[in-house]
Amino acid sequence: MSNYHIETNCIQAGYQPKNGEPRVLPIYQSTTFKYDSSEHVGKLFDLVEDGFFYTRLANPTVDCVERKIAVLEGGVGALCTSSGQAASLISILNICDSGDHFIASSTIYGGTTNLFAVTLKRMGIEVTFVNPDSSIEELQKEIRTNTKLVFAETIANPSLIVIDIAKFVTLAHSNQIPLIIDNTFATPINCRPFEFGADIIVHSTSKYMDGHAVALGGVIIDSGNFNWDNGKFPGLSTPDTSYHGMVYTRDCGRTAFITKARVQLMRDLGSTPAPNNAFLLNLGLETLHLRMERHCSNAQKIAEFLEKNDKIAWVNYPGLKNNKYYELSQKYLPNGSCGVISYGVKGGREAAVKFMDSLKLAAIVVHVADTRTCVLHPASTTHRQLTDQQLLDAGISSDLIRMSIGIEHIDDIIADIEQALEQI
Ligand SMILES: *Cc1c(COP(=O)(O)O)cnc(C)c1O
């Protein structure tokens, strides 16, 4: 499948039915799988034979979707999770132990910021948030002997800051640690971070990948390129006593990371996606390439429309030529960035609320990246846990309106915005 274009792989990768089998990926709604002998089941547990034994670890429907996503990102393997949060958590716990430290861009999603700053801290794992625009020399100062990874978002939610992936790759690799990229907003249609040297990718599939706002989910993809056997990652390069002495780097080769994530952490944490949700995710993936094109072209037109409107204080979209991140977006996202834009309405918070309440087509929703246009005021909703300083660090001003542009007809979306602006 890897020889096909990404559009073809969105549709066909991961599941190729044999003679007489269902044309469409079936939902294997079964927790368990039957075998004729105990010996066979033993071999499955030892990972010497391929097969399914319990849906917490692997399920045929989920497996096909994982294979598809691995192809789309160009990785050696993928692990689907019950949410994007679970994917971020597992990607970190698979590398860091209590006492370890890592670096994360300060502009990452609010939920991830909480997970890293609060919950991981309680588990003894410490994070340092860095300004993604810092120079490599400044970033290097934050690296400690126990720093185990660097984490950043391709396009930050909701500040839309585009990171210089190559700079973060250099930072990580010159310290023999991996770079994890949250590629949720860009999707593999618009950016494939492995092509720029990233080592691990995570997604909230709840966003564009599902694309219809019907199923929460996450995924971790392994590039297979990082050398875990450099002395810094004993969890991957020394025997796992909880999995009868398996040494992931020795026994799994290029799939060491993703195998450990599955057989150790998914086994223990159990944040498994339901087969039915994997089926829905697969349906979403089949049109991902078409939807991303329209999300991006609609968002570009609306950003340009808002820029010219005198009731608008500012517009932030990486596709605008005067945007601070235009150059980076041309380098990493030449076909378009995402369908999310942010802007401020003149008159501050009060005008913003009046404007949002006057929208008819666009709904106020705590979600982004599905087919329907929606709006949100992050400072009073998704990011309300953050302090004012954290908000600023995350690139969010108190008047910021986040609008996720859907794939409705562009004229209808613009007409809706126009009539709502007239109310203020
Ligand atoms: C939504 C989101 C998450 C969290 O994903 P859930 O599926 O909601 O758990 C993580 N990262 C980014 C960039 C997101 O937008």
Side-chain angles (χ1 to χ4, degrees):
M1 279 289 153
S2 40
N3 295 333
Y4 289 117
H5 291 89
I6 195 160
E7 292 82 356
T8 307
N9 284 324
C10 278
I11 299 160
Q12 302 263 0
Y15 176 65
Q16 287 90 44
K18 298 189 194 72
N19 190 37
E21 288 182 352
R23 181 71 188 100
V24 175
L25 173 64
I27 306 171
Y28 288 87
Q29 192 70 47
S30 182
T31 59
T32 4
F33 303 86
K34 177 202 170 281
Y35 291 95
D36 289 340
S37 73
S38 318
E39 193 201 341
H40 193 139
V41 178
K43 283 183 180 160
L44 294 175
F45 269 97
D46 286 346
L47 305 181
V48 293
E49 230 169 284
D50 274 343
F52 302 95
F53 48 97
Y54 195 51
T55 285
R56 169 147 43 79
L57 281 176
N59 168 281
T61 308
V62 179
D63 179 67
C64 288
V65 181
E66 290 169 340
R67 286 173 196 273
K68 174 178 282 188
I69 295 174
V71 170
L72 296 181
E73 285 287 16
V76 294
L79 175 70
C80 281
T81 58
S82 51
S83 69
Q85 288 297 92
S88 299
L89 173 67
I90 291 177
S91 74
I92 305 288
L93 290 185
N94 209 33
I95 299 173
C96 292
D97 288 326
S98 175
D100 285 339
H101 167 259
F102 68 100
I103 304 275
S105 165
S106 62
T107 56
I108 54 175
Y109 172 71
T112 317
T113 304
N114 258 331
L115 168 65
F116 290 178
V118 180
T119 299
L120 285 183
K121 185 163 189 217
R122 283 170 48 214
M123 299 166 86
I125 299 170
E126 205 186 332
V127 63
T128 300
F129 291 109
V130 295
N131 179 342
D133 294 336
S134 304
S135 70
I136 185 111
E137 293 75 23
E138 286 172 303
L139 293 171
Q140 180 62 38
K141 288 188 194 134
E142 304 297 341
I143 302 275
R144 309 175 187 170
T145 48
N146 61 343
T147 304
K148 294 297 168 74
L149 65 94
V150 180
F151 188 103
E153 279 171 26
T154 323
I155 310 170
N157 174 9
S159 66
L160 306 176
I161 288 172
V162 177
I163 62 146
D164 186 348
I165 302 177
K167 179 176 74 184
F168 278 90
V169 167
T170 305
L171 173 73
H173 290 179
S174 61
N175 291 286
Q176 281 107 46
I177 57 176
L179 174 63
I180 304 181
I181 291 284
D182 181 335
N183 199 32
T184 298
F185 267 31
T187 82
I189 301 302
N190 285 343
C191 180
R192 286 182 294 285
F194 291 157
E195 292 174 3
F196 300 102
D199 303 289
I200 305 294
I201 295 172
V202 296
H203 283 273
S204 164
T205 64
S206 323
K207 312 294 164 55
Y208 289 115
M209 281 189 165
D210 157 28
H212 300 77
V214 293
L216 277 187
V219 67
I220 307 171
I221 308 107
D222 184 355
S223 69
N225 295 333
F226 191 78
N227 173 25
W228 303 102
D229 211 357
N230 64 10
K232 285 191 174 231
F233 306 98
L236 283 130
S237 61
T238 60
D240 178 358
T241 50
S242 82
Y243 212 89
H244 35 76
M246 177 119 134
V247 178
Y248 297 102
T249 49
R250 181 195 68 201
D251 300 337
C252 309
R254 289 187 71 199
T255 62
F257 178 90
I258 205 72
T259 306
K260 176 174 179 284
R262 181 187 303 279
V263 303
Q264 183 193 72
L265 289 176
M266 190 57 98
R267 175 199 64 189
D268 293 354
L269 300 177
S271 29
T272 312
N276 192 63
N277 277 3
F279 172 84
L280 292 169
L281 170 57
N282 186 55
L283 279 188
L285 290 170
E286 288 188 7
T287 56
L288 181 64
H289 55 300
L290 292 175
R291 289 184 288 103
M292 286 314 288
E293 217 177 280
R294 183 60 63 87
H295 280 296
C296 292
S297 70
N298 276 357
Q300 182 72 31
K301 286 175 193 155
I302 287 171
E304 287 167 8
F305 161 81
L306 290 170
E307 224 182 8
K308 292 193 214 94
N309 193 295
D310 55 14
K311 290 196 172 167
I312 300 294
W314 54 271
V315 184
N316 178 22
Y317 186 63
L320 292 175
K321 289 216 168 61
N322 62 6
N323 188 274
K324 187 176 173 194
Y325 300 96
Y326 181 75
E327 300 298 326
L328 283 175
S329 76
Q330 289 303 298
K331 176 175 177 190
Y332 295 110
L333 305 144
N335 300 325
S337 49
C338 64
V340 179
I341 64 177
S342 61
Y343 51 94
V345 178
K346 283 182 192 162
R349 186 181 283 247
E350 208 177 303
V353 169
K354 178 91 180 110
F355 165 73
M356 286 176 55
D357 289 350
S358 305
L359 289 164
K360 293 182 175 133
L361 184 71
I364 299 173
V365 167
V366 183
H367 192 251
V368 287
D370 70 76
T371 53
R372 302 158 203 89
T373 299
C374 59
V375 277
L376 186 78
H377 185 231
S380 62
T381 54
T382 46
H383 287 65
R384 64 186 297 138
Q385 259 74 275
L386 303 192
T387 63
D388 284 355
Q389 187 56 45
Q390 280 177 321
L391 273 179
L392 279 180
D393 290 346
I396 301 163
S397 54
S398 60
D399 65 340
L400 184 149
I401 294 173
R402 180 182 73 181
M403 190 170 232
S404 172
I405 311 299
I407 57 175
E408 301 95 340
H409 196 288
I410 181 69
D411 294 349
D412 293 333
I413 308 172
I414 289 183
D416 190 36
I417 296 174
E418 265 178 331
Q419 67 81 22
L421 284 174
E422 275 161 25
Q423 307 304 312
I424 56 175

